[in-house]
Structure formats: C-alpha cells, structure tokens
Amino acid sequence: MLLVLLVVLPTGLLAWLAIRGVRDERQRVAGQLYAAAESRLTDVDARIERWLEEKSGRLMDLTASSNRDAVFWRDLVRTTPEISQIVVQAVDGRLVHPPLGDAISDAESQFLVRIRRILEEGFPSGLAEPTPQNDLSQRSRPVIDHGWVPWYWDEGLHLLFWRRDPAGSIIAVELDRTRLMSDLLVALPMEPDEDRSRADLWHMALEDSQGRVLSQTGSPMADGEAAETVERRLSPPLGAWVLRAEVRSSSLGALGKFLRVAGLVLVTAILGGLAFLFHRESSRELREASARVGFVNQVSHELRTPLTNIRLYAELLERRLGEDDENRSYLDIIVAECSRLSRLIGNVLTFAGRNRGTLAIHPVDGSVDETLRSVAAQFGPSLEAKGMEIAFGLAAAQPIPFDPDALEQIIGNLLSNVEKYAADGEVAEISSRQNDRVTLIRVADHGPGIPEDRKESVFEPFVRLSDSLTEGVSGTGIGLSIARELARLHGGELRLARADRGACFELELPNEPTRRPR
Amino acid sequence: MKILVAEDDQLTRKGLIEVLEAEGYETVEAADGAEALALFDETEPDVVCLDIMMPKIDGFEVCRQLRARPSDVPVIFISAKSEEIDKVVGLELGADDFLTKPFGIKEVIARIRAVTRRWLATRDRSDDASNTGPFLMADLEVAPDELRARRGDEVIDLSLREIKILRLLHTHAGKALDRNTIFNACWGLDYLPSSRTLDQTVSQLRKRIELDPKDPKIITTVHGVGYRYDDQSI
C-alpha cells in the first residue's frame, strides 16, 4: 500500500501542477491578448482621433461662411465626394438650406427626414467640459463650436459634422457613408501582427453596431473556436463600433494541449501502473500460496521418504531373524519410533493445513475397531517399554464412514498423551461402542488426570500440561487441538469425559455424515 | 505375475522389490515416470505401483497415460500423505489402492494381495497344466484365486509363491520334486536363489498350514531330493 501512496501522491502533485500550468498559461495568453487589444485600441482610437480632426479641419474650411446660397451648398455637395448632404440652420432655428418648397430634391428631403431628430434636439453650446488633461480654469476652456453627431439609420452609422459660425448659424455636413467607411478603413489599416508567429493564433476585427465586420486581421474563427475574446468600444463618436480580438483555443493548447495529452498519458500510465502493481500483489500472493503448498508437499515428501526406508528395512531385517531372536524387540522399537515420528509430522502438517484452512478429511466406510487396533499396535512397543499395557473393549463392529488417517491421528495423539503423562497408571484403555446414531470411542488412563481448571484449555493449541515430576515438558501442544478439529470435521466431537481417576477422552463420530467435509 | 514398481527413491524401491519378490512376484523396476511408461509397454506387467512424486513424469500423469493406452491394469499409488487430495485424484484416475508412506511390509503385502486376488479372478491363468480352481490337500482347502487356504473355519492367507508351491506339489502328488524343479516353477528362470531360500520358504509355509509344523503332513521332506505331497485319500 505504501507503494501505491508513493505513486499516487506525486502523480496528484504533477496533475495539480499541470492544471495550474494550463491555467497560468491561459491567463498569460489572455493577459497578452488584453495587452495587445489595448494597444491596438489605443492605436485605433488615436488614428480615428487624427482622422476626425483632419476631417473637422477640412470641413471647417469648406463651411467657413454660412452666407452662401443654395447653389453654393449644392455645388459643394456635388464636388465633394465625402459630403453627401449639407444643412444650414439659422440661429433662430429656421432652415436656410436645403430650401424647402418645390426646389428641394428627393435626396435632400430624405436627408431632412433623416436628421429631423437631430435638428430638434439641437446642437450643444457653451464651454467644453473639463477633462483631466485640461486646465480647469474657465478662461482656457474652449467654446464648443463644432462637433460630430453619430446616428443610426438603415444601413448603420451616419456621421454628421456640425459647426456654428460666428453669426450663430449651424452648418451641418452629413458624410457620405460609403466614402466615410472607406476613408475610415484606410485611416486605420489593420496591419498584421508584427509577430508573424502569432498570425494564426488570433483574430482582430472592427465591427459596427450591427456586428458586421468592417475590417479584420488574422484568421477568422468558427463558432466556439475562440478561447479568449477581448472587446473594446471605440471612443465617441464611433462608440457603437467594437474592436474585437479573439485567440484561438488551439493556440492556448500549444502548451495546454500538450499538457492535456501529457496529463492523459500520465493518468493512463498511473492506472496501468496501479493495475500492474495490484496484479503483481495478488499474483504474488497466489504464487506465495502455491509456493507454500508446494513447500508443504515437498517437506512432507522429504521427511516421509527416509522414514519409509527406516521402517521398511527394519521390518525386512526382522523377517530375516528367527522367531525367537531377541533382537526382534529392538527392531520393534525402531518401527514404533518411526510411527511416532510419522505422527508428529502428521500433526505439524495438519496444523499448518488448519491454519491455511485447507484441512480436509476423506471419509470411507470402514470399521473403527480395525483402525483402533492398528494404532494401538503401533504404540505397543513404546508403552510396553514404560511398563504399560493396553486394555481393549472394542464393540463397534458396524462400519461407518470415517477418515482412517484422521482417526489414526486422533487416537495416536490421545495415546501419545497417555504415554507421556499417565505411564504410572500402567494401563491404557481403548474402548468403543455404537448405537443408531453415533459411534463412541474412549481412551482412558489411570494417570494423574487433568486439573478441573485446565479441562477446556487443554484443547487449545500450544497449551501443555507440565508435570513437575516429569523430566521436562515434551510435545508441541498441538495434538489435542488437532484431534478435536479432526473430530469436528467429521461432524463429531472430542471431549473430556468424567472419570474417577485419570483422564478419559471421548470421541464421538456420527454414523451418518452430518457435516460435509471440506 | 508381474509387478512394475516405479519409485524414485532407490532404497524404497529396492526394499519394495525385495518384499514383492519374497511374496512370489516377478518384478520390474523404474526410477521415474518416463522409464515407467517405457517399461510398461515393453514388459506388460499385471500390476503397477506408482510413486506419486517422481521426476520427469509424476505418478498421476503416468496413470493418466496408461489409462489412455487404453489399459485397465491395476494401479497402486504410493503417496507421502501430503495436503493434496491424493486419494480423490487417484481414485478419479482409476487407482485400485493406495500405499501411504511410511508404510510397513504388512501393508504392502495386504494391498498387493487384494489386487492379486482381483486379478486372478478375472484372468484365466494356465501357465502350467493345472487349473486355477481350488483344490484339496489333506484337510486343507486351497483357494488359489483368493490367495487363501481354509481348514474348517480357519482362514489362512498365503503368498503367491506359497500357492505356486502347493499347486506344484498337488499336481505332482506322490512324486518327490527336486529343488531345481521347484525353483523353476515357483521362482522363475531369472532367479538363482540359494537353497536356503527354498527351505526358509517351505518352513514358513509349513508354519502356516501344518497342524504341527514340526511334524508336517502335507509337505514332506524327501532327504537328498526335495519335497513331496502325498495325497492321503488315494
């Protein structure tokens, strides 16, 4: 798990940094965009300012005197392409030009319709508003005597230049729209970006009030393609116009895209790495488990092979001896010790199996009495050596299903305890009886018995009763715990029965299997 | 009757061979699974003893391949009683019986006898002129198919060799058989046992079937020649 953490944390950190990086990049580009747009706008504004001033000056000159007649004005309109119409209003508001009545042309009357509102509103007078740049004193503030009026009609923006002559008359000039547009656009060329490398990255356009693009630079973008957009309105009188700058979202990802892809690759790599780690962990567990099982098999095989040979050759030797040869008893002991060793190995392996949950029994029909006799025979020599004898009371003739190896292990463990603790009692009683339901087997001795307070704990693993009279505590302490486990696997039970003297273990096996063996 | 013993531990294998030969069986030895399969095809044994944990090819695999031959030869597995479910797998493969290490000689003989009895019952052995049916020797009922003899209620287990000896003597009732004849008939031509072996075997046989082994009535010694069975009923 530590490994997983070690992988996940730096990844998370990297991912966070990457996201931050992308965001920072976006902001940086946006910032750059704003800066660029700002400078552009300032530039455009300045140009327009200049143009307006130029135009103003020119128009002022052209309309120097209001004391002209209609012919003059009409002539002026005709000869000045940038002027579409002229209106002259006397100080009292009376319309001087165009002359009303039959002489007015269609164009002129349409013009009057167009500017009716403006004429009604009138033109500003008085002093110019102070601006931060100006000196605030009355004296230096100029008088408003000319200006621009933008208005909207039909196809869009119209500009009207007006001036007040010393007599107080207003002369207003409508600029020809087409000419106006082309003049304006000539005046504000949208040069491609000095930095050519960014030419594809963004797009700047001048849009009119209707959103129509009047002029643009860079490559236009489809809907949704723009990641960042900056808009600025031009200064009056062209305040309805908008300068819009857009940055391609894809350009954001020269870095962003890379980071995104890198992020994806990283995540995939992480997930792959984690999957691999988990797989390796679980397969390692599987490998370890099978190695453990293989180890147990191997140990079992390794220990049992020499044991087999010792027993086999001891018995072969015995066959060569005469019936009355006293050497036979020694060979009997060798064979008995082989059985004991085999039992110990069996106990350890069973215990290991129980711990792994792989302990299982394999019942077959058979006679328990036969197995009891066989186990007792194995103990014959060693019990005899301790001055003990076995008393049989076998009455379980009916065959029942049980695992003979397991029964051997159980009884073997019980007799081994008898041998260890109850040798003084001189007798080991093995008895069996049956009824319809169960088969009961008893192993009893006349030894010191088991103290009342230890009656349950003796079945726990690693618990040993030590008798101070014996030389030392022998055994592993797992015999009874294993014996009970094996009994329970049969669907039966191993318990300590009441006895007047000594210990009496009772093994109960069901005649019909009640629990399915694992 | 021929038994193939496949066991990788040399000592165990030799020990088993000694036990089986003493019982009267012809034996074939293999030290691993591959050799076992090769010798099986070559020598056609009547019973196969297979150690499970063997190099090259393990006992289970050998059994599988034998069954695939196809062959229904009786198979006895020798296992070390490990945690594996040897018995379940073995039985599924069609094993007849199991020997678990460490086994004693008695267990080996018991297993082999069981297999032999089944084998005798299904086969029509006529390697000599006599039939395999039971026969009477004095008050002893000899049942070769069961590897047993009966006297009244008493049941006596006999080894294959002992059966062979009795059958030989019975077939040649009244005739003294010399040692060589008995050797050839009951031990096979590959053996050169000492005459002590024959005497020991007869001695052991007498202990089993004679009412008084020291005064044998069924197998009588013909000094300087060999042994004879006299049919008292004649």
Side-chain angles (χ1 to χ4, degrees):
Chain A
M1 277 330 283
L2 190 62
L3 212 58
V4 172
L5 268 176
L6 280 176
V7 170
V8 168
L9 276 178
T11 312
L13 197 65
L14 278 172
W16 180 71
L17 282 174
I19 293 170
R20 268 267 300 250
V22 169
R23 219 172 339 129
D24 288 351
E25 174 71 4
R26 280 181 107 98
Q27 281 175 3
R28 190 179 66 82
V29 173
Q32 276 184 343
L33 195 58
Y34 279 118
E38 281 290 331
S39 84
R40 274 287 162 146
L41 280 169
T42 313
D43 189 42
V44 166
D45 255 358
R47 282 176 192 268
I48 292 177
E49 193 89 40
R50 269 199 305 277
W51 180 85
L52 283 173
E53 268 186 41
E54 258 180 45
K55 222 28 153 216
S56 283
R58 200 166 128 72
L59 289 174
M60 289 284 270
D61 289 340
L62 286 173
T63 60
S65 168
S66 62
N67 224 3
R68 303 275 196 214
D69 61 5
V71 171
F72 173 77
W73 294 124
R74 279 183 174 141
D75 207 33
L76 190 57
V77 167
R78 195 167 47 82
T79 58
T80 318
E82 62 214 276
I83 299 176
S84 78
Q85 288 296 336
I86 298 178
V87 63
V88 181
Q89 193 180 47
V91 67
D92 58 0
R94 186 174 45 88
L95 206 65
V96 172
H97 180 82
L100 298 168
D102 294 333
I104 197 168
S105 72
D106 286 336
E108 283 167 342
S109 48
Q110 277 169 20
F111 169 60
L112 287 177
V113 168
R114 279 202 295 274
I115 63 164
R116 188 166 65 91
R117 247 284 156 67
I118 298 168
L119 293 176
E120 276 172 13
E121 278 172 15
F123 296 93
S125 58
L127 297 173
E129 289 297 315
T131 66
Q133 290 87 3
N134 292 349
D135 190 354
L136 293 177
S137 68
Q138 278 277 40
R139 260 188 302 117
S140 53
R141 275 164 66 191
V143 175
I144 303 174
D145 64 348
H146 69 276
W148 293 89
V149 179
W151 88 98
Y152 293 90
W153 192 268
D154 258 4
E155 63 271 26
L157 178 74
H158 290 254
L159 271 183
L160 192 77
F161 175 77
W162 64 270
R163 62 151 318 163
R164 188 178 282 113
D165 75 357
S169 305
I170 298 285
I171 305 161
V173 173
E174 185 193 50
L175 296 181
D176 178 76
R177 198 183 137 73
T178 317
R179 188 59 195 265
L180 164 64
M181 297 311 291
S182 64
D183 277 355
L184 266 178
L185 296 177
V186 162
L188 31 109
M190 300 279 272
E191 289 125 12
D193 211 305
E194 293 80 43
D195 185 356
R196 292 238 160 224
S197 68
R198 296 224 300 260
D200 304 324
L201 300 182
W202 55 345
H203 173 247
M204 195 175 294
L206 185 61
E207 292 173 10
D208 68 6
S209 55
Q210 245 103 319
R212 285 178 294 208
V213 174
L214 302 169
S215 167
Q216 62 182 335
T217 182
S219 29
M221 296 184 190
D223 279 336
E225 209 184 334
E228 297 285 346
T229 308
V230 180
E231 283 179 7
R232 264 280 296 271
R233 291 195 173 279
L234 295 180
S235 306
L238 299 174
W241 286 9
V242 165
L243 190 64
R244 189 195 308 281
E246 296 168 326
V247 177
R248 260 208 169 71
S249 55
S250 58
S251 73
L252 204 48
L255 180 60
K257 198 175 212 173
F258 164 74
L259 284 175
R260 233 173 290 177
V261 170
L264 210 63
V265 168
L266 199 59
V267 166
T268 314
I270 298 307
L271 287 177
L274 283 175
F276 170 72
L277 277 174
F278 281 133
H279 173 75
R280 217 181 54 159
E281 276 298 310
S282 64
S283 73
R284 179 158 66 91
E285 278 180 30
L286 277 174
R287 270 183 281 121
E288 274 182 10
S290 76
R292 270 199 296 269
V293 171
F295 172 71
V296 169
N297 286 353
Q298 197 61 32
V299 163
S300 173
H301 184 254
E302 292 300 310
L303 289 174
R304 292 201 150 109
T305 299
L307 210 50
T308 305
N309 291 339
I310 293 170
R311 183 171 174 182
L312 196 53
Y313 283 80
E315 287 184 355
L316 282 171
L317 187 56
E318 211 171 354
R319 273 149 70 107
R320 292 186 181 189
L321 300 178
E323 279 258 324
D324 308 318
D325 196 328
E326 62 194 16
N327 292 320
R328 292 182 82 101
S329 63
Y330 279 36
L331 290 168
D332 283 343
I333 288 174
I334 292 175
V335 171
E337 286 300 281
C338 284
S339 299
R340 186 166 137 200
L341 198 51
S342 179
R343 241 188 345 269
L344 285 171
I345 294 170
N347 270 355
V348 171
L349 288 174
T350 304
F351 193 68
R354 202 252 308 262
N355 278 357
R356 285 205 312 279
T358 62
L359 190 55
I361 58 165
H362 312 291
V364 290
D365 282 338
S367 156
V368 297
D369 285 351
E370 206 178 297
T371 306
L372 290 172
R373 263 188 256 273
S374 147
V375 178
Q378 288 174 26
F379 275 88
S382 48
L383 286 173
E384 222 178 275
K386 292 201 166 171
M388 294 189 75
E389 62 169 25
I390 303 178
F392 288 99
L394 304 178
Q398 181 200 334
I400 64 165
F402 70 98
D403 184 337
D405 294 330
L407 183 59
E408 257 192 51
Q409 223 174 339
I410 297 171
I411 305 299
N413 281 332
L414 293 176
L415 285 176
S416 162
N417 282 347
V418 167
E419 188 192 356
K420 247 181 268 173
Y421 299 112
D424 287 345
E426 291 174 3
V427 76
E429 293 165 359
I430 305 178
S431 61
S432 69
R433 63 181 201 277
Q434 279 173 319
N435 62 24
D436 296 332
R437 275 187 320 107
V438 295
T439 298
L440 280 171
I441 298 164
R442 273 193 169 183
V443 176
D445 63 66
H446 295 171
I450 294 173
E452 194 63 41
D453 57 344
R454 308 294 291 276
K455 275 192 185 318
E456 256 314 303
S457 63
V458 282
F459 288 103
E460 283 164 34
F462 312 122
V463 169
R464 287 174 289 181
L465 289 183
S466 73
D467 188 349
S468 55
L469 293 176
T470 63
E471 280 150 6
V473 181
S474 67
T476 52
I478 58 177
L480 281 178
S481 118
I482 285 169
R484 175 178 261 184
E485 180 73 24
L486 290 171
R488 285 177 175 169
L489 279 173
H490 280 87
E493 182 60 80
L494 177 68
R495 59 178 83 89
L496 201 51
R498 293 186 59 84
D500 296 326
R501 55 177 174 155
C504 176
F505 284 89
E506 194 173 74
L507 171 66
E508 184 184 299
L509 295 175
N511 293 347
E512 302 284 316
T514 53
R515 192 204 294 207
R516 182 184 288 280
R518 277 182 279 121
Chain B
M1 193 170 148
K2 204 184 298 179
I3 302 185
L4 168 63
V5 175
E7 161 68 61
D8 64 321
D9 185 84
Q10 192 187 30
L11 290 173
T12 313
R13 188 174 68 246
K14 295 288 182 199
L16 276 172
I17 296 289
E18 190 174 321
V19 169
L20 294 173
E21 283 183 354
E23 282 297 293
Y25 298 93
E26 234 182 288
T27 58
V28 179
E29 283 180 60
D32 61 61
E35 202 183 339
L37 286 169
L39 285 172
F40 178 84
D41 293 330
E42 203 182 298
T43 63
E44 293 177 357
D46 305 300
V47 177
V48 176
C49 281
L50 292 175
D51 185 24
I52 291 176
M53 289 187 80
M54 277 194 294
K56 292 193 189 158
I57 306 175
D58 71 32
F60 287 141
E61 185 55 35
V62 172
C63 186
R64 238 175 254 128
Q65 290 195 31
L66 289 181
R67 292 282 175 256
R69 278 312 193 247
S71 167
D72 58 356
V73 67
V75 169
I76 299 175
F77 278 117
I78 304 170
S79 84
K81 200 167 44 169
S82 64
E83 292 291 323
E84 268 184 295
I85 316 175
D86 284 349
K87 285 203 176 129
V88 175
V89 177
L91 287 171
E92 263 177 50
L93 288 170
D96 281 61
D97 218 329
F98 295 86
L99 270 174
T100 33
K101 292 179 183 176
F103 44 76
I105 292 182
K106 288 204 183 94
E107 282 170 68
V108 177
I109 293 174
R111 301 285 194 277
I112 292 292
R113 286 169 60 80
V115 171
T116 307
R117 278 198 292 269
R118 284 196 286 271
W119 181 84
L120 286 172
T122 59
R123 260 147 183 81
D124 187 30
R125 295 257 311 157
S126 46
D127 59 346
D128 52 10
S130 63
N131 58 17
T132 57
F135 54 89
L136 206 57
M137 288 175 97
D139 58 345
L140 195 70
E141 241 185 79
V142 182
D145 285 359
E146 292 174 50
L147 294 176
R148 278 191 187 117
R150 280 188 184 81
R151 177 181 281 116
D153 289 334
E154 196 191 346
V155 175
I156 305 159
D157 284 335
L158 298 172
S159 74
L160 189 62
R161 178 157 294 125
E162 287 165 343
I163 296 282
K164 281 180 184 171
I165 293 172
L166 287 177
R167 189 157 61 202
L168 184 71
L169 287 172
H170 176 261
T171 308
H172 302 277
K175 195 168 152 204
L177 298 170
D178 66 72
R179 287 192 153 72
N180 277 342
T181 310
I182 300 173
F183 270 139
N184 291 340
C186 305
W187 265 262
L189 300 167
D190 294 334
Y191 292 96
L192 291 170
S194 66
S195 51
R196 203 170 137 71
T197 311
L198 175 57
D199 292 337
Q200 270 182 332
T201 309
V202 170
S203 168
Q204 196 180 347
L205 181 53
R206 276 172 172 162
K207 282 193 194 112
R208 283 180 172 174
I209 63 168
E210 299 280 6
L211 285 165
D212 181 5
K214 292 197 173 47
D215 181 24
K217 294 281 188 267
I218 299 172
I219 304 172
T220 50
T221 308
V222 180
H223 289 289
V225 181
Y227 296 94
R228 180 178 68 221
Y229 164 65
D230 289 314
D231 191 349
Q232 305 292 324
S233 61
I234 296 172

